[in-house]
């Protein structure tokens, strides 16, 4: 003997409950992918900032080194302030592609062996990391480039 028949209204409620489960699951998946996407963007932005700044520091040091080599007539000695000024001129030129970088006075110098050191600092463009105090220090990259004047 079959049991009592379920009214059609209860069957329709069951179908509505299933769509709520699917929407809930879909919302969770979308939220998870958004969080993973933001994290990957943040990490990528920080890594790209550090790598490109290191390359830019090397290029700036090479440019300053070439300028010094061309101007070095008779063993002229260049003060660190002139090295700094040459590096700032290189960085501020838009044609060199170094945007938002800053030349640090400490570390931008020429040593006794004639090696030019240029120290740059730049903050990465991030969505969230710069707003979180313990992680903010990771958005700031400082790199040193060097090149010989011989």
């Amino acid at each position: 003997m079959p049991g009592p028949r379920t009214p059609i209204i209860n069957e329709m409620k069951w179908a509505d409950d299933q769509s709520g489960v699917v929407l809930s699951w879909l919302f969770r998946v979308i939220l998870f992918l958004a969080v993973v996407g933001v994290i990957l963007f943040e990490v990528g932005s920080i890594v790209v900032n550090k790598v490109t700044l290191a390359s830019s520091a090397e290029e700036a040091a090479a440019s300053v080194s070439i300028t010094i080599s061309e101007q070095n007539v008779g063993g002229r000695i260049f003060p660190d302030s002139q090295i700094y000024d040459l590096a700032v001129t290189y960085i501020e030129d838009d044609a060199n592609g170094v945007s938002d970088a800053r030349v640090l006075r400490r570390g931008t110098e020429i040593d006794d062996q004639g090696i030019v050191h240029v120290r740059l600092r730049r903050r990465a463009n991030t969505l969230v990391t710069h707003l979180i105090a313990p992680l903010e220090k990771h958005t700031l990259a400082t790199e040193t480039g060097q090149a010989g004047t011989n």
Side-chain angles (χ1 to χ4, degrees):
M1 203 160 109
R5 184 155 157 76
T6 309
I8 193 163
I9 294 173
N10 286 342
E11 290 176 15
M12 290 173 63
K13 284 183 180 177
W14 185 79
D16 287 343
D17 290 343
Q18 292 301 313
S19 66
V21 169
V22 171
L23 287 176
S24 161
W25 174 82
L26 183 62
F27 177 74
R28 288 179 186 163
V29 168
I30 290 172
L31 183 64
F32 174 76
L33 290 176
V35 168
V36 168
V38 168
I39 290 172
L40 288 175
F41 176 82
E42 299 288 302
V43 169
S45 178
I46 290 168
V47 168
V48 166
N49 180 50
K50 188 165 181 67
V51 170
T52 58
L53 189 64
S55 173
S56 297
E58 291 290 333
E59 290 172 6
S63 175
V64 171
S65 172
I66 290 170
T67 303
I68 288 175
S69 294
E70 290 172 352
Q71 294 178 2
N72 196 2
V73 179
R76 181 175 163 211
I77 297 175
F78 290 87
D80 292 343
S81 61
Q82 190 171 5
I83 302 298
Y84 173 80
D85 292 339
L86 288 170
V88 168
T89 302
Y90 177 83
I91 295 299
E92 288 178 349
D93 186 4
D94 291 335
N96 296 324
V98 185
S99 62
D100 301 331
R102 195 170 65 100
V103 180
L104 299 179
R105 207 170 272 283
R106 180 179 291 174
T108 300
E109 60 192 10
I110 186 166
D111 62 16
D112 296 335
Q113 289 81 27
I115 297 175
V116 174
H117 300 274
V118 175
R119 194 159 185 209
L120 301 179
R121 179 172 285 164
R122 182 173 56 194
R123 186 170 300 280
N125 294 324
T126 59
L127 299 173
V128 180
T129 308
H130 69 279
L131 301 173
I132 303 170
L135 298 177
E136 184 179 14
K137 65 182 176 187
H138 297 292
T139 64
L140 191 62
T142 304
E143 293 294 329
T144 303
Q146 57 185 8
T149 57
N150 297 338

